[in-house]
Amino acid sequence: MAVNPRADEAVREMYEWVVGTYLPKRYPTMFRTFPAAEKAERVLRNLVTNEDIPLRPSTALSALRTLGEHVDDDFLFLLPESAPSAPDAQPRYRLEAFMTCFPSGFSTLKKLNGTLAAIHAPVPGYPAKLERSMDRFFTNLPVGKAVKRANWTITTTDALFSQAGTHLYSGSSPGSPDADAANAKTLALDSPGLAEQIAVQRAAVSVPDCRLRCERQTLHRLPKSGAVVFAFKTYQYRLEDVKAEGSGEDLALAIEGFAKGSVPQMELYKRGVVWGDKVREYLRS
């Protein structure tokens, strides 16, 4: 977690709404507002852990920590640049604060201060197909509108906190992985031994360890600070459960869609070239 000074107001605004309004109304059997034991101020009590949560945080950093302790969504706060740097004078949004307990293949700290384009630099097709439209979308997102989408991939581990290993490559370009994100699963695409390295990883895939990892992602704008909050909740499913419910063929077809879609490089980026054959074979067996 981290927060830049210019995001202090946004973090506090989000915290006070989540703690003061959302949690007690959405989960009344788990959270309830009570008078503080020794003070006049009211507090929110987590009825599961019996912890008292202040309705107003002492600092923005403590607000992020408390959200991470009591809410299983991750939160990223983005604000427009104070002075547009793009030739078209359109403001670029930068990541100014975050609380992420469940990153999937990236270090959020490394992305702090980054624009949307910098954050999505490794994603195939983003500069050509999405960069300009996403900047416009963030600029035009009105207060009161919440946008929801889903994201999914297959991972070869059940680790919820994963700063590397989800993608075949990372960094600003495929051939230059971030030093802190590089590990045995993060490869350089210009390596002369790439095919052999992929073959080694493919042989090491254990289907029982694989998971269908999904994110429910939401975007909304805070009314006071104007910050855009990107939140995501992570779900993981065992492949045997997907297969048991009769969705094995649907998932196998979706996996094949990575290479057949408008951005076929997505199969490489998501490591489909590593786990794809074994996972599809299992789902169809």
Side-chain angles (χ1 to χ4, degrees):
M1 65 180 179
V3 55
N4 289 334
R6 69 187 303 254
D8 187 282
E9 179 187 358
V11 170
R12 291 174 181 270
E13 181 182 3
M14 183 68 181
Y15 174 94
E16 291 178 9
W17 177 78
V18 170
V19 172
T21 301
Y22 176 73
L23 290 179
K25 288 190 175 182
R26 178 66 177 82
Y27 304 103
T29 62
M30 297 175 63
F31 296 93
R32 191 177 304 168
T33 304
F34 285 98
E38 300 177 357
K39 299 179 181 179
E41 295 87 356
R42 294 170 65 82
V43 296
L44 180 72
R45 180 163 299 166
N46 185 324
L47 301 176
V48 178
T49 63
N50 203 35
E51 295 177 79
D52 286 345
I53 307 168
L55 298 184
R56 289 181 174 79
S58 57
T59 66
L61 197 62
S62 69
L64 291 175
R65 181 178 295 107
T66 300
L67 288 175
E69 291 172 345
H70 297 275
V71 183
D72 54 5
D73 291 70
D74 287 356
F75 298 101
L76 293 89
F77 298 79
L78 297 103
L79 285 163
E81 295 175 328
S82 55
S85 59
D88 58 6
Q90 181 171 272
R92 300 292 189 252
Y93 276 72
R94 292 184 179 273
L95 179 63
E96 299 286 354
F98 69 88
M99 161 53 72
T100 51
C101 296
F102 311 117
S104 182
F106 61 89
S107 166
T108 319
L109 185 60
K110 290 287 292 184
K111 296 182 181 294
L112 187 66
N113 302 313
T115 61
L116 291 174
I119 291 170
H120 293 92
V123 180
Y126 185 88
K129 296 178 177 291
L130 292 173
E131 182 176 337
R132 291 176 65 94
S133 62
M134 285 301 295
D135 286 327
R136 286 195 300 270
F137 178 79
F138 270 62
T139 298
N140 297 326
L141 182 65
V143 171
K145 180 179 181 180
V147 179
K148 182 173 70 173
R149 70 181 293 270
N151 185 34
W152 70 275
T153 191
I154 300 293
T155 62
T156 54
T157 174
D158 63 356
L160 279 166
F161 182 86
S162 179
Q163 292 192 99
T166 304
H167 307 122
L168 193 72
Y169 60 85
S170 63
S172 58
S173 65
S176 58
D178 290 337
D180 68 331
N183 62 11
K185 295 180 180 179
T186 305
L187 306 178
L189 297 190
D190 57 359
S191 170
L194 180 63
E196 291 78 7
Q197 292 172 311
I198 291 176
V200 170
Q201 292 193 23
R202 187 183 295 125
V205 171
S206 171
V207 172
D209 294 335
C210 293
R211 296 290 185 271
L212 169 61
R213 182 171 178 136
C214 305
E215 293 176 353
R216 182 201 63 199
Q217 303 175 346
T218 60
L219 279 172
H220 75 279
R221 187 181 300 280
L222 295 174
K224 295 179 181 179
S225 63
V228 172
V229 179
F230 172 60
F232 63 92
K233 179 178 173 64
T234 301
Y235 302 83
Q236 291 195 136
Y237 305 93
R238 296 184 303 173
L239 298 185
E240 63 184 273
D241 294 332
V242 175
K243 188 177 176 181
E245 71 174 16
S247 299
E249 179 62 19
D250 290 338
L251 181 54
L253 289 172
I255 292 170
E256 291 175 346
F258 282 146
K260 298 177 180 178
S262 60
V263 186
Q265 299 93 335
M266 194 63 71
E267 181 186 36
L268 197 66
Y269 176 65
K270 288 181 175 280
R271 297 184 72 239
V273 294
V274 171
W275 48 256
D277 288 344
K278 284 188 177 180
V279 169
R280 284 195 303 268
E281 181 181 0
Y282 172 77
L283 293 171
R284 286 170 167 156
S285 63

